[in-house]
Amino acid sequence: DRKGLGELVKELLRHAFNSVDSQIWIRNEGWIRGKDSDIEGCVCGQELLLAPGADAKQFYVDIAASRLAQSGTLERWNQEVLDPVSKNYILTGAVQIGLAATMLDQVPGVSSCSFNFFGGAGRGKTLLLSTVASLFGNTTAPGHGSAGRNGRSIIETFGSTQLALQAKGQASSLGPMLIDEIGTNGSRRLDNFIYMTGNGSSRTKLSSSGDILDSPPKGLFYMTTGEVPIASLVSRNAQLGVLDRGVDINIGGGAVSFEGQEEEEYAFLPEDVKKAVAAGIPNQYGTVAPAFIKALMSEMDGQNWKAELEEIRQLLVGACARYVSADGPGRILTRFALAVLAGRIALRNKVFSEEVV
């Protein structure tokens, strides 16, 4: 009984020493909250980032298998990755959504969502996921060799079981969960996946000894790719709750096109942009997330993110048809507004270079 053994050890130590300086054992990456739920810091990979006024001595960081990894510098990432990315509005938006995923627990009123980038084969969908991955760590795409890159790839595939993906979603520390090839799902399985993840992937259960293994709902952005939209994969009986928990973003070249996206001028990734991004991400990755986390912690006390988010959302509502601002579609606009807010924070704290964007 490991729990009983732990209590015994603490009791023995209490009698052995008059006073023992205790530390908080940090075993997972992500935000660190104090007793009053205030942010005291964040762990990125093996690096402890402290909020203003927090004491590093109270934490003991021991991450067994970190998800985040680094290579290169933030300055070089801006030059070699963000520079070509900024020439494509969908790639730029995807990067902002990736950063926004770190803010889900910091801004009220934003819910989990799956963003699906769909289009024809060879359009650069997997490259898009690798570009978002470069914010946080290893950019290796599924089925590709990772020689020379630190850490493990943070891009998953739908070849995993639904429960395994939900468990990985729960274990995800910072940023979005990236999953390639959504089209390998059957409709019923996809319905359940989108609905469950949209509700936080909570799977609280009992252990064999009768103890409750708590698994509270967790807000998370999922970013997926495929050759078809989510709308064509979910079953006919899917509820509205499934549809407004997923967003389809057409990058062209597939069987489905939207008005204004048929022409070649709307090509997703011109060859020069694709080659430049593909050349940059194998060597420059993982330096953005720590810088962005520091930016968030520096703004937490003095910045009214809730009001700024609402201001951005109203701008988006004003640009859309009147029906878009109601119910489910309104929640989707709030998620996009959070992505805009993340981009603003990155710019004003010089995480994104103003010379590039």
Side-chain angles (χ1 to χ4, degrees):
D1 182 359
R2 280 188 278 180
K3 184 177 180 181
L5 178 60
E7 294 297 324
L8 174 62
V9 170
K10 284 195 291 185
E11 190 66 18
L12 291 173
L13 288 173
R14 188 173 68 83
H15 287 284
F17 302 94
N18 292 327
S19 63
V20 177
D21 293 332
S22 62
Q23 287 184 301
I24 300 172
W25 187 9
I26 307 297
R27 291 178 289 180
N28 299 303
E29 297 166 293
W31 294 105
I32 303 171
R33 293 183 178 272
K35 294 181 180 178
D36 299 326
S37 295
D38 294 331
I39 296 292
E40 295 195 0
C42 184
V43 176
C44 295
Q46 300 288 341
E47 184 180 5
L48 174 62
L49 307 174
L50 294 174
D55 182 10
K57 294 181 180 178
Q58 65 179 316
F59 302 113
Y60 173 70
V61 178
D62 180 24
I63 311 297
S66 57
R67 179 172 177 258
L68 278 62
Q70 291 188 26
S71 176
T73 66
L74 180 61
E75 182 181 4
R76 292 286 299 277
W77 181 88
N78 272 275
Q79 294 169 353
E80 298 180 25
V81 180
L82 185 60
D83 188 18
V85 162
S86 65
K87 295 176 173 60
N88 182 275
Y89 66 94
I90 294 181
L91 269 184
T92 304
V95 166
Q96 290 179 243
I97 292 172
L99 288 181
T102 65
M103 300 180 64
L104 275 174
D105 291 336
Q106 319 304 327
V107 183
V110 188
S111 56
S112 299
C113 181
S114 295
F115 296 87
N116 179 46
F117 297 83
F118 74 95
R123 300 285 291 182
K125 301 184 298 296
T126 303
L127 181 62
L128 179 146
L129 289 186
S130 292
T131 303
V132 176
S134 75
L135 301 171
F136 303 97
N138 191 316
T139 58
T140 304
H144 292 68
S146 59
R149 302 189 206 189
N150 302 321
R152 55 193 175 93
S153 174
I154 59 177
I155 304 177
E156 306 288 343
T157 71
F158 274 107
S160 305
T161 66
Q162 178 181 323
L163 293 182
L165 287 175
Q166 286 179 225
K168 286 203 170 189
Q170 273 286 327
S172 294
S173 51
L174 293 168
M177 189 167 182
L178 308 175
I179 313 176
D180 202 16
E181 294 302 340
I182 195 172
T184 57
N185 277 275
S187 60
R188 181 174 179 80
R189 185 183 174 204
L190 187 59
D191 290 358
N192 290 336
F193 176 79
I194 292 174
Y195 202 84
M196 292 294 290
T197 54
N199 283 329
S201 297
S202 175
R203 288 189 59 79
T204 300
K205 54 187 177 181
L206 288 176
S207 68
S208 57
S209 60
D211 294 329
I212 293 178
L213 302 176
D214 196 17
S215 175
K218 179 177 182 178
L220 194 64
F221 278 174
Y222 291 77
M223 299 180 72
T224 67
T225 61
E227 294 189 20
V228 291
I230 292 175
S232 69
L233 290 172
V234 297
S235 64
R236 289 185 178 183
N237 297 322
Q239 301 297 313
L240 178 61
V242 172
L243 298 177
D244 67 29
R245 284 168 172 79
V247 176
D248 283 317
I249 301 174
N250 185 13
I251 62 173
V256 179
S257 345
F258 297 138
E259 183 179 353
Q261 287 190 303
E262 303 93 343
E263 302 297 331
E264 189 55 35
E265 64 181 292
Y266 292 95
F268 170 47
L269 274 183
E271 281 303 312
D272 59 335
V273 173
K274 186 184 293 188
K275 288 179 180 178
V277 173
I281 57 176
N283 304 306
Q284 302 297 327
Y285 57 81
T287 55
V288 178
F292 186 69
I293 294 300
K294 290 177 184 177
L296 292 179
M297 290 193 292
S298 71
E299 286 197 4
M300 276 182 182
D301 292 334
Q303 193 74 21
N304 190 347
W305 289 338
K306 184 178 179 180
E308 190 173 0
L309 179 71
E310 182 57 26
E311 171 207 334
I312 297 169
R313 198 185 85 86
Q314 289 303 323
L315 289 174
L316 296 179
V317 169
C320 297
R322 292 179 63 184
Y323 69 85
V324 173
S325 61
D327 301 328
R331 289 196 291 272
I332 293 171
L333 288 183
T334 302
R335 296 162 190 152
F336 281 116
L338 184 64
V340 175
L341 175 58
R344 286 186 179 182
I345 293 172
L347 268 174
R348 64 187 177 223
N349 288 277
K350 304 187 186 312
V351 179
F352 288 172
S353 171
E354 293 181 346
E355 298 175 359
V356 172
V357 182

